[in-house]
Amino acid sequence: GVAFGDTAGRFLGTTNFGMRDIFNGSEVNGWGDDGWAHWFFQWAFAGTASTIVSGSIAERTKLQAYLAYTVVMTSFIYPVAVHWVWGGGFLSMGPVSGIASMSSNGLLDFAGSGVVHVVGGISGLVGAVIVGPRRIRFNDEGKPNQLDHANSTLLSLGAFILWFGWYGFNCGSTMQVSGNGANVASKAAVTTTIAAGSACFTSTILAQILTERFDIALTINGLLGGLVAITASCAFVDPWMAAFIGLIAALVYH
């Protein structure tokens, strides 16, 4: 389809709509993989990009608007970004079938820092600008009010669920366990853990310094920033680099 079909001008795909080129024994990528698992994996990624937007416009958007933007996001915006980076588009790494003479821009995004999280984040920013802030977000002088989190237990539970799920994204992006795939997935697990831990620790200390109290919400948001930051390079960087990436992510968040 739009994401992984044969490229048109290295902008979007134009074939394999409705997965008509995928069937048992098709081996679409030359690895002995028919493509079924790949579709399921990208389905989860598309849903993730949409949920990032939902957090940006929560509590001030009608259900109809959620449904409308989700259709547009998952059917066009996200697939086009996928094609640019992973499907043979103008940012893809390596030669493209049929147009191998074109030079590669060499963008490496192993598990979606850019394709998933940047696309979702920019879309969320646009949505937040359109719908505006919550009514209680700013005071009469235009200064932001401190919004205390409602339930620390649920916040922590959600963070642990996300962190655990991240291993499915980062490690699973190897898309295979044969050959050296298991080692690549293992390295992705290590760097993901280190970056998340580094970001969590750094964010905890920064919260204490900046607010003079330990704040679980700030710690969790820093942790998630570390997970997002390591996602693109989790299979490529050394452990010490992962720790540095997590630290920088926490600094950027604060």
Side-chain angles (χ1 to χ4, degrees):
V2 173
F4 292 102
D6 293 341
T7 189
R10 305 196 76 177
F11 184 78
L12 50 74
T14 58
T15 62
N16 194 29
F17 287 96
M19 296 187 289
R20 61 184 179 183
D21 295 334
I22 297 177
F23 50 87
N24 292 341
S26 59
E27 296 190 15
V28 294
N29 54 21
W31 301 338
D33 175 19
D34 293 338
W36 303 117
H38 195 66
W39 178 91
F40 184 78
F41 207 68
Q42 288 300 319
W43 167 80
F45 272 19
T48 300
S50 294
T51 59
I52 292 171
V53 182
S54 68
S56 302
I57 57 178
E59 298 181 353
R60 54 201 192 280
T61 307
K62 291 184 177 180
L63 177 61
Q64 295 91 322
Y66 276 107
L67 296 175
Y69 92 72
T70 299
V71 170
V72 175
M73 172 68 78
T74 57
S75 64
F76 185 75
I77 296 175
Y78 174 75
V80 168
V82 168
H83 188 78
W84 290 353
V85 180
W86 293 332
F90 71 98
L91 294 176
S92 289
M93 183 68 180
V96 180
S97 177
I99 50 174
S101 60
M102 289 190 175
S103 61
S104 167
N105 289 304
L107 175 61
L108 287 173
D109 187 349
F110 186 74
S113 281
V115 178
V116 180
H117 297 286
V118 170
V119 170
I122 292 175
S123 301
L125 175 62
V126 172
V129 170
I130 292 174
V131 303
R134 292 176 174 85
R135 293 178 180 177
I136 61 172
R137 186 67 184 90
F138 298 95
N139 59 27
D140 295 336
E141 298 177 354
K143 297 181 179 180
N145 292 317
Q146 178 64 40
L147 302 179
D148 293 328
H149 48 84
N151 192 312
S152 298
T153 301
L154 289 180
L155 279 174
S156 302
L157 176 61
F160 278 116
I161 292 173
L162 282 170
W163 192 345
F164 182 78
W166 230 279
Y167 293 110
F169 270 44
N170 289 7
C171 305
S173 288
T174 59
M175 296 304 295
Q176 60 180 2
V177 294
S178 59
N180 196 46
N183 289 326
V184 175
S186 299
K187 182 178 182 181
V190 170
T191 56
T192 298
T193 303
I194 291 174
S198 173
C200 183
F201 177 78
T202 304
S203 190
T204 300
I205 300 304
L206 286 174
Q208 169 64 23
I209 294 173
L210 297 174
T211 67
E212 297 184 350
R213 65 190 178 99
F214 291 109
D215 191 314
I216 186 65
L218 295 180
T219 294
I220 288 173
N221 285 335
L223 159 67
L224 295 180
L227 287 168
V228 170
I230 194 61
T231 296
S233 58
C234 59
F236 312 130
V237 298
D238 292 329
W240 71 266
M241 298 177 186
F244 185 70
I245 289 172
L247 184 149
I248 295 299
L251 291 174
V252 170
Y253 166 69
H254 283 275

